[in-house]
């Protein structure tokens, strides 16, 4: 059976937000902070102050099976502002996905340059401000150092071009997006795919 993700009221304004997302075989931690104070939660309610407050929400998920060699860790950080609402309201948090192209069935690049399609939007059911920008980076040493990817944008679709040298091995990806309201998301995927030989 495939992986299952537990879901609840994930990132909502109102009386509480249930922070969940446990995958079998994964270590998972969620941290929520009223900047600059921080408290870490595995799951549970997050109550918002009445006044408009800046938040930083961090999630980490890592696979620890020796046979699972790709996408071994995902680290995501959101920065946003929020205050209490009269009823549960979906927060307009940014969502970013990275989809490497030109890969074979084993997630190996079939050519030297790899296009990574970046899809950016806001959490379903929310009304978000216009997306203002996107950046992306790649790494061939599991995120110890990062190289800026060449960016292209056509009709609101962003593409990062990864130009990894031959034999670079596993390529990690990092992307950041922000909107006109000042919300921001940064996501890292460790060992996203294998570079072309």
């Amino acid at each position: 059976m495939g992986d299952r993700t537990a879901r609840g009221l994930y990132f909502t304004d109102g009386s509480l937000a249930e922070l969940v997302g446990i995958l079998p075989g994964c270590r998972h931690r969620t941290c929520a902070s009223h900047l600059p104070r921080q408290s870490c939660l595995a799951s549970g309610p997050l109550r918002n102050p009445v006044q408009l407050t800046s938040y930083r929400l961090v999630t980490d998920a890592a696979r620890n099976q020796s046979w699972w060699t790709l996408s071994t860790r995902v680290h995501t950080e959101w920065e946003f502002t929020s205050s209490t609402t009269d009823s549960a309201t979906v927060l307009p948090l940014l969502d970013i996905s990275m989809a490497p192209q030109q890969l074979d069935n084993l997630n190996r690049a079939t050519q030297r340059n790899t296009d990574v399609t970046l899809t950016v939007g806001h959490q379903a059911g929310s009304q978000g401000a216009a997306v203002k920008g996107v950046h992306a980076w790649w790494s061939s040493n599991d995120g110890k150092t990062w190289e800026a990817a060449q960016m292209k944008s056509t009709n609101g679709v962003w593409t990062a071009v990864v130009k990894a040298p031959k034999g670079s091995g596993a390529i990690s990806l990092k992307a950041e997006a922000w909107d006109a309201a000042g919300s921001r998301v940064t996501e890292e995927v460790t060992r996203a795919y294998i570079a072309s030989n």
Side-chain angles (χ1 to χ4, degrees):
M1 184 157 78
D3 286 335
R4 293 170 290 126
T5 302
R7 291 188 182 267
L9 291 173
Y10 200 39
F11 315 128
T12 64
D13 273 355
S15 60
L16 61 87
E18 184 182 355
L19 304 177
V20 293
I22 307 302
L23 297 173
C26 291
R27 297 184 315 274
H28 184 271
R29 186 178 90 171
T30 301
C31 295
S33 66
H34 306 288
L35 298 176
R37 231 177 71 206
Q38 179 169 310
S39 62
C40 291
L41 314 167
S43 65
L46 172 65
R47 298 192 182 277
N48 292 344
V50 173
Q51 70 275 14
L52 188 66
T53 304
S54 294
Y55 291 87
R56 180 170 170 261
L57 180 66
V58 179
T59 64
D60 276 298
R63 294 190 181 274
N64 51 17
Q65 294 95 347
S66 60
W67 50 267
W68 195 285
T69 60
L70 294 178
S71 296
T72 55
R73 176 177 175 264
V74 178
H75 174 85
T76 309
E77 298 186 14
W78 292 267
E79 294 178 19
F80 60 97
T81 56
S82 182
S83 62
T84 301
T85 59
D86 292 334
S87 60
T89 305
V90 179
L91 287 171
L93 297 188
L94 285 164
D95 181 40
I96 191 165
S97 68
M98 297 175 271
Q101 307 299 309
Q102 303 105 10
L103 302 183
D104 66 14
N105 290 336
L106 297 175
N107 288 327
R108 297 176 303 202
T110 58
Q111 55 193 51
R112 181 176 173 268
N113 293 346
T114 302
D115 292 340
V116 180
T117 302
L118 303 168
T119 305
V120 181
H122 290 85
Q123 185 173 217
S126 69
Q127 300 292 322
V131 175
K132 298 300 281 185
V134 179
H135 289 306
W137 299 264
W138 62 273
S139 171
S140 60
N141 58 12
D142 292 351
K144 292 180 181 73
T145 59
W146 294 96
E147 299 285 336
Q150 177 187 340
M151 297 296 298
K152 299 185 291 187
S153 178
T154 307
N155 300 324
V157 176
W158 290 273
T159 303
V161 181
V162 176
K163 298 183 176 182
K166 271 185 154 186
S168 292
I171 300 298
S172 299
L173 298 172
K174 177 167 73 169
E176 178 182 43
W178 59 94
D179 67 18
S183 292
R184 185 172 297 267
V185 63
T186 305
E187 184 164 280
E188 297 176 24
V189 179
T190 304
R191 303 177 68 83
Y193 69 94
I194 302 297
S196 173
N197 286 328

